[in-house]
Amino acid sequence: EREKGQRLYRHTRDELMNDPLQRLELEHDLRKALEREEFELYYQPQYDIRNNRLIGMEALIRWNHPKHGMISPVQFIPLAEETGLIVAIGEWVLRTACSQNKRWQDSGLPTLIVSVNLSLRQFQKHNLVGDILGILRESGLKPHYLELEITESMAMDNVDRVIRKLNELKYWGIRISMDDFGTGYSSLHYLRKIPLHKLKIDQSFIRDLSTDPDSAAIVSTIIAMANHLKLEVVAEGVETEEDLRFLLQQNCAHGQGYFFSRPLPIGEFERLLHRERAG
Ligand code: C2E
Ligand code: CA
Ligand code: CA
Ligand code: CA
């Protein structure tokens, strides 16, 4: 079942990156990919699982390589990060996601929050806040319809500076979400200090819900903690009805995963929006 989601990609995880020549070629191609318009955003819906309402979508980048076909972000994001290309790519992602969301809102489709993944380099960029405000202004999207996903390791990097930056983003109305929660090392002490709107429970815990009692315990603990701290909580990687039932039992409000939908290209996501509007 897990393979199905990867069927789009012709290469297994490290195939391209482990061959030095392939890697060099890939780096060269990555430099050209933006101007050649080879990137595309897919959108994966997020639901309020208590009433089945669509509440938002996560933008996920895809690279349509002319020779290798679809390349997974798991392969090229690390390369983009190492080479610094991630800054330009990340800006393209933000600009594309914001203007797409604004276009959907303007055409009378349901008003949703779009989540965008930030990478470490991008997050560390001195003028991140100014850049994002510029992109919001340009697209016309209101800041509270944009959510930025950061990871624990990004947040723990230089805590005081990170808190200042996140507070600034929050001041402007931009939402912050902690991705892959539970896999990093963020202390509960800082979790209280960091201005956050949402925790995303890492999909590895959801995957093992039915087979591993420890994972189930971790998931219910994260949900309870988030609820106490008045943080929104999303379970990632929900694949089965059984997962869903457990999450509802534990008072988890939001879910994302193949059980609801895979990440969709814009045309298909648009059809989903139309169905949602129709009720
Ligand atoms: P992520 O942010 O944790 O994104 C979730 C990943 O899980 C996505 O993989 C999504 O397709 C997959 N997924 C969603 N539901 C399920 C499910 O039910 N089961 C399983 N097994 N998988 C599910 P994807 O799109 O291949 O992205 C992988 C990673 O690449 C992302 O992990 C994120 O870290 C990174 N990434 C993707 N797009 C961007 C981007 O625009 N910028 C940056 N910096 N990173 C990105
Ligand atoms: Ca994410
Ligand atoms: Ca995640
Ligand atoms: Ca499972």
Side-chain angles (χ1 to χ4, degrees):
E1 180 176 76
R2 209 153 304 282
E3 270 71 64
K4 247 192 287 170
Q6 302 297 324
R7 205 170 41 192
L8 272 174
Y9 309 122
R10 262 187 259 147
H11 305 270
T12 54
R13 205 184 140 112
D14 293 320
E15 221 171 80
L16 289 171
M17 294 290 279
N18 280 346
D19 178 344
L21 265 178
Q22 290 262 30
R23 200 193 125 100
L24 208 64
E25 188 195 318
L26 215 59
E27 185 180 328
H28 170 265
D29 294 348
L30 195 57
R31 287 186 194 283
K32 302 269 191 256
L34 263 182
E35 54 183 272
R36 291 182 180 160
E37 301 185 14
E38 291 169 356
F39 293 119
E40 188 181 346
L41 289 187
Y42 275 41
Y43 294 92
Q44 188 178 33
Q46 267 178 27
Y47 287 90
D48 186 324
I49 60 179
R50 298 162 302 185
N51 55 21
N52 275 320
R53 297 300 293 185
L54 183 63
I55 52 166
M57 61 270 182
E58 178 174 3
L60 293 159
I61 195 170
R62 301 288 178 262
W63 181 13
N64 239 313
H65 189 284
K67 188 169 116 205
H68 299 296
M70 223 34 133
I71 301 183
S72 158
V74 175
Q75 290 192 319
F76 70 85
I77 292 289
L79 186 61
E81 179 88 30
E82 280 168 42
T83 52
L85 290 165
I86 192 68
V87 174
I89 296 172
E91 243 178 74
W92 177 85
V93 171
L94 275 165
R95 191 169 291 120
T96 307
C98 289
S99 52
Q100 183 60 261
N101 196 20
K102 178 67 162 90
R103 268 199 301 280
W104 280 329
Q105 291 186 0
D106 285 350
S107 60
L109 292 166
T111 304
L112 303 172
I113 293 164
V114 65
S115 299
V116 171
N117 293 284
L118 289 190
S119 74
L120 179 63
R121 281 248 198 147
Q122 207 183 352
F123 187 63
Q124 285 171 335
K125 214 185 147 220
H126 173 67
N127 196 28
L128 174 77
V129 181
D131 290 351
I132 292 179
L133 291 175
I135 288 170
L136 283 168
R137 204 171 311 120
E138 225 176 88
S139 66
L141 185 73
K142 296 223 174 72
H144 49 274
Y145 297 122
L146 173 64
E147 183 170 271
L148 304 175
E149 298 196 2
I150 62 168
T151 59
E152 290 170 84
S153 55
M154 282 158 68
M156 292 306 117
D157 178 51
N158 178 332
V159 177
D160 291 333
R161 191 150 30 140
V162 166
I163 291 176
R164 241 178 294 133
K165 198 170 259 190
L166 294 179
N167 270 323
E168 208 181 328
L169 289 164
K170 185 185 176 189
Y171 169 85
W172 291 108
I174 296 159
R175 297 166 47 91
I176 311 290
S177 160
M178 184 70 89
D179 203 1
D180 305 337
F181 186 72
T183 60
Y185 299 93
S186 56
S187 83
L188 299 179
H189 171 70
Y190 286 121
L191 198 59
R192 220 164 35 96
K193 289 196 172 176
I194 296 177
L196 275 184
H197 294 86
K198 188 187 268 185
L199 292 183
K200 296 187 81 173
I201 306 174
D202 188 68
Q203 56 187 51
S204 60
F205 301 115
I206 311 298
R207 183 181 60 223
D208 299 337
L209 266 186
S210 51
T211 49
D212 173 21
D214 289 348
S215 289
I218 290 169
V219 170
S220 28
T221 305
I222 295 176
I223 295 166
M225 181 184 70
N227 287 340
H228 279 303
L229 294 176
K230 305 265 184 293
L231 292 171
E232 291 172 23
V233 61
V234 192
E236 281 196 275
V238 180
E239 291 187 353
T240 66
E241 181 137 28
E242 206 188 340
D243 298 339
L244 180 64
R245 258 202 306 273
F246 178 83
L247 292 165
L248 280 167
Q249 245 168 35
Q250 305 298 318
N251 293 313
C252 181
H254 302 153
Q256 181 182 343
Y258 296 168
F259 178 75
F260 307 104
S261 165
R262 288 166 189 284
L264 303 171
I266 32 178
E268 279 180 55
F269 194 82
E270 223 164 87
R271 277 197 286 282
L272 182 91
L273 288 175
H274 281 282
R275 282 201 302 277
E276 180 77 12
R277 184 177 56 177

